[in-house]
């Protein structure tokens, strides 16, 4: 769902995620020290790996959040859940990011690299139209109905560790910049 620039800057969003985990806010220097460079569909993007506590349970909780900017939109990819479970799904999250095809780009079925590494993954997408993104869903992820402001939603559940949520959202423009969103 397109939103205006009121979605905030990258630093605003990073600090919002940090607050979710009971962590103090950081400045631009702190953001650059925690930023990882990842590939989302062959496009360089920023990712943040945050570890804190769920304020409701005091349980160690991790957020993986990636931000990619195109000329038309800002894309957010977020995984949140119990620390051990999110840490265990990080490589699947990175494979998902790499398999992502921005609207109007190649379809994931033409790039077998992720499927070659894990035959349980299946090419997916929204409606199969080239104006919409597509991706490969890791085998351990369960597709969920998206809620408002989400393009896609997935979950991973473990009876001992809990549940991880993964979301994809896109907004027009740079929604305030990388620094504020982180």
């Amino acid at each position: 769902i397109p939103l205006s620039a009121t979605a905030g800057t990258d630093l605003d969003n990073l600090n919002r995620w940090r607050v979710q985990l009971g962590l103090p806010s950081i400045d631009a220097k702190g953001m650059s020290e925690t930023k990882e460079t990842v590939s989302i569909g062959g496009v360089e993007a920023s990712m943040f790996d945050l570890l804190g506590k769920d304020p409701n349970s005091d349980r160690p909780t991790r957020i993986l959040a990636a931000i990619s900017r195109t000329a038309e939109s800002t894309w957010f990819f977020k995984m949140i859940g119990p620390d051990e479970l999110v840490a265990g799904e990080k490589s699947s999250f990175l494979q998902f990011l790499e398999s992502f095809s921005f609207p109007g780009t190649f379809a994931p079925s033409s790039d077998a690299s992720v499927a070659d590494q894990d035959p349980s993954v299946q090419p997916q997408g929204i409606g199969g139209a080239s104006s919409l993104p597509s991706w490969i869903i890791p085998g351990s992820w369960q597709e969920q109905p998206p809620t408002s402001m989400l393009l896609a939603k997935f979950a991973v559940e473990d009876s001992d560790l809990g549940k991880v949520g993964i979301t994809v959202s896109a907004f027009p423009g740079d929604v305030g910049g990388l620094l504020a969103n982180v």
Side-chain angles (χ1 to χ4, degrees):
I1 297 173
L3 292 180
S4 67
T6 58
T9 65
D10 289 349
L11 184 58
D12 291 337
N13 282 302
L14 174 60
N15 282 323
R16 191 174 5 263
W17 298 327
R18 291 179 62 82
V19 167
Q20 265 185 282
L21 297 176
L23 300 171
S25 295
I26 60 175
D27 60 15
K29 182 178 184 229
M31 181 183 76
S32 67
E33 291 170 354
T34 62
K35 181 176 94 170
E36 297 176 44
T37 300
V38 297
S39 174
I40 300 178
V43 176
E44 188 174 296
S46 300
M47 187 175 84
F48 302 90
D49 187 341
L50 308 168
L51 177 61
K53 293 197 178 203
D54 179 333
N56 298 319
S57 70
D58 208 33
R59 186 175 187 177
T61 301
R62 183 175 297 272
I63 293 175
L64 296 178
I67 302 170
S68 178
R69 300 188 184 285
T70 66
E72 299 81 31
S73 300
T74 300
W75 293 80
F76 293 92
F77 303 82
K78 183 178 171 187
M79 176 185 275
I80 182 171
D83 173 38
E84 273 187 76
L85 191 51
V86 171
E89 288 293 319
K90 186 172 182 176
S91 65
S92 293
F93 186 70
L94 293 170
Q95 285 180 346
F96 174 79
L97 295 177
E98 183 58 40
S99 78
F100 191 84
S101 293
F102 291 96
T105 61
F106 66 89
S109 57
S110 67
D111 177 15
S113 61
V114 176
D116 288 344
Q117 294 171 17
D118 183 353
S120 68
V121 298
Q122 298 295 315
Q124 299 292 318
I126 302 171
S130 64
S131 64
L132 297 171
S134 60
W135 48 77
I136 296 173
I137 300 173
S140 58
W141 293 14
Q142 304 284 320
E143 196 162 9
Q144 306 288 306
T147 57
S148 68
M149 298 177 18
L150 297 181
L151 193 57
K153 184 176 177 182
F154 307 95
V156 177
E157 292 189 57
D158 180 282
S159 59
D160 294 326
L161 299 175
K163 183 176 181 178
V164 167
I166 302 109
T167 59
V168 178
S169 55
F171 305 98
D174 75 355
V175 290
L178 180 64
L179 182 63
N181 281 291
V182 173

